Amino acid sequence: MMKLFAALAIFLFFGQVFFQDRLDVLSENMVIEDNTVVLPAAFLEVVALEYRPLLADLYFLQALNTFGKTLEKGGTSVVGENVSDWEWRLMFDQVKMSSALDPQFLDPYYFANAIITYYESLVPEITRYLEEGAKERFWDWELPFYVGFNYFFNLDEPGKASDWLMDASRRTNNRSSVLVTLASRLAYQGQKTENAIIFLRGMIAQAEDDSTRRIYSMRLKSLEGIYLVEKAVKAYRQKFGTDPDDLESLVGSGVLLSTPEDPYGGTYYLDEDKNAKTTSNFRPIH
């Protein structure tokens, strides 16, 4: 009887994929929002039996397929430019389903952090999702590293970031690694941009494919532009004893040779407190 339930679960999955493909064909010539319903995780967890790893793989592949379809829409090479709100949510629901069926499966967590965090409103949920994954993969330092990065870079909570980096460090064999240094510095909530650059360089070094490496490299280049302007502001203060009015003042005084280019299409500027910012906010500008 239970094997019958498991077969039913697989049948429902492929039935869902089949009808989704039909809906995709129909949606090409009409405006349509979310046209997919992910089956309840609680139902599949009960009936899938020994097929749970298989269904986990299938749901993860479905998330990749959803993302692949967004890339086929055309436009620029900027990742996430053509992804609708409901498509971001659908991809996240699909990877969460994959993890519910196989909590120790690394790839869904990796995909969620590398790709779906481009949809800013999902970052808090993704971070909690990664926290649960870190509990399941208790030996793995990567997931607490990603959680720490999100708390620091996306959620502006350096204290929590420090705690998770310490956890990541405890899971590695190298106790004197850069993770310890970062965690200690974040505990003092200082040097945010420089720390973020170190974070990203570490993530690029750990990236498993060229696409993910390119995504992180864009973030790194944008942050390096911020850091360059920050250093120029400090140099201007030391040289003239006052704050610059704007970026043009930095360039005109020779402190900054030229305005850096934001890979996301934004423009660097100084806010009212003379902090370096970019109009892209590290997100693709359409």
Side-chain angles (χ1 to χ4, degrees):
M1 179 62 71
M2 293 304 295
K3 289 187 178 294
L4 178 61
F5 282 128
L8 175 62
I10 296 175
F11 171 78
L12 288 174
F13 172 86
F14 283 107
Q16 180 187 16
V17 173
F18 174 81
F19 287 112
Q20 174 60 33
D21 287 342
R22 306 285 74 72
L23 285 170
D24 287 341
V25 171
L26 292 174
S27 66
E28 288 180 356
N29 297 315
M30 65 179 70
V31 178
I32 186 168
E33 294 188 352
D34 187 350
N35 54 18
T36 298
V37 177
V38 177
L39 294 172
F43 168 75
L44 288 179
E45 286 180 56
V46 171
V47 302
L49 298 178
E50 68 267 29
Y51 298 105
R52 287 173 64 169
L54 170 61
L55 283 176
D57 290 345
L58 292 173
Y59 269 103
F60 177 60
L61 289 174
Q62 198 174 26
L64 296 180
N65 182 57
T66 300
F67 182 60
K69 288 179 179 178
T70 68
L71 298 178
E72 294 173 355
K73 295 179 182 179
T76 71
S77 61
V78 177
V79 174
E81 183 180 40
N82 297 308
V83 185
S84 304
D85 292 353
W86 70 266
E87 289 171 318
W88 286 121
R89 168 58 66 178
L90 173 59
M91 281 187 278
F92 189 36
D93 287 344
Q94 288 166 336
V95 297
K96 285 194 298 182
M97 174 64 81
S98 178
S99 296
L101 291 164
D102 187 356
Q104 296 185 1
F105 185 15
L106 177 61
D107 288 358
Y109 302 114
Y110 184 80
F111 178 77
N113 189 71
I115 302 297
I116 307 178
T117 50
Y118 264 80
Y119 188 55
E120 190 172 2
S121 65
L122 282 177
V123 170
E125 288 184 63
I126 292 170
T127 303
R128 291 192 293 272
Y129 162 72
L130 295 173
E131 289 178 347
E132 292 301 313
K135 294 176 184 177
E136 294 289 344
R137 295 178 58 85
F138 57 87
W139 67 90
D140 184 6
W141 68 269
E142 289 186 68
L143 292 187
F145 178 80
Y146 297 153
V147 173
F149 176 84
N150 286 340
Y151 272 123
F152 172 72
F153 184 65
N154 293 313
L155 302 177
D156 197 22
E157 297 189 49
K160 289 186 177 179
S162 176
D163 291 341
W164 279 98
L165 283 179
M166 284 294 188
D167 184 20
S169 176
R170 285 191 290 268
R171 299 184 188 201
T172 66
N173 294 323
N174 183 6
R175 303 300 183 188
S176 62
S177 70
V178 69
L179 298 176
V180 178
T181 302
L182 275 173
S184 300
R185 292 169 69 178
L186 288 177
Y188 289 95
Q189 303 185 23
Q191 298 176 298
K192 179 175 179 178
T193 306
E194 185 178 1
N195 285 332
I197 288 172
I198 297 173
F199 260 118
L200 282 168
R201 286 174 179 167
M203 296 179 81
I204 291 170
Q206 295 295 325
E208 298 178 355
D209 57 86
D210 291 338
S211 177
T212 301
R213 195 172 295 110
R214 179 167 57 88
I215 291 168
Y216 288 151
S217 295
M218 286 183 66
R219 295 187 191 180
L220 175 61
K221 183 178 179 181
S222 188
L223 267 179
E224 287 174 338
I226 290 286
Y227 189 49
L228 182 64
V229 174
E230 287 178 346
K231 291 194 296 183
V233 170
K234 291 180 181 178
Y236 188 97
R237 286 172 180 156
Q238 292 175 350
K239 184 175 182 179
F240 299 104
T242 186
D243 287 333
D245 293 328
D246 46 35
L247 248 63
E248 287 70 23
S249 300
L250 295 174
V251 176
S253 66
V255 173
L256 186 65
L257 295 179
S258 62
T259 302
E261 181 180 345
D262 184 356
Y264 294 110
T267 301
Y268 293 107
Y269 67 97
L270 300 181
D271 65 11
E272 294 180 356
D273 297 322
K274 308 306 176 185
N275 295 314
K277 303 286 185 181
T278 174
T279 55
S280 71
N281 197 27
F282 309 109
R283 297 288 185 274
I285 290 182
H286 297 283

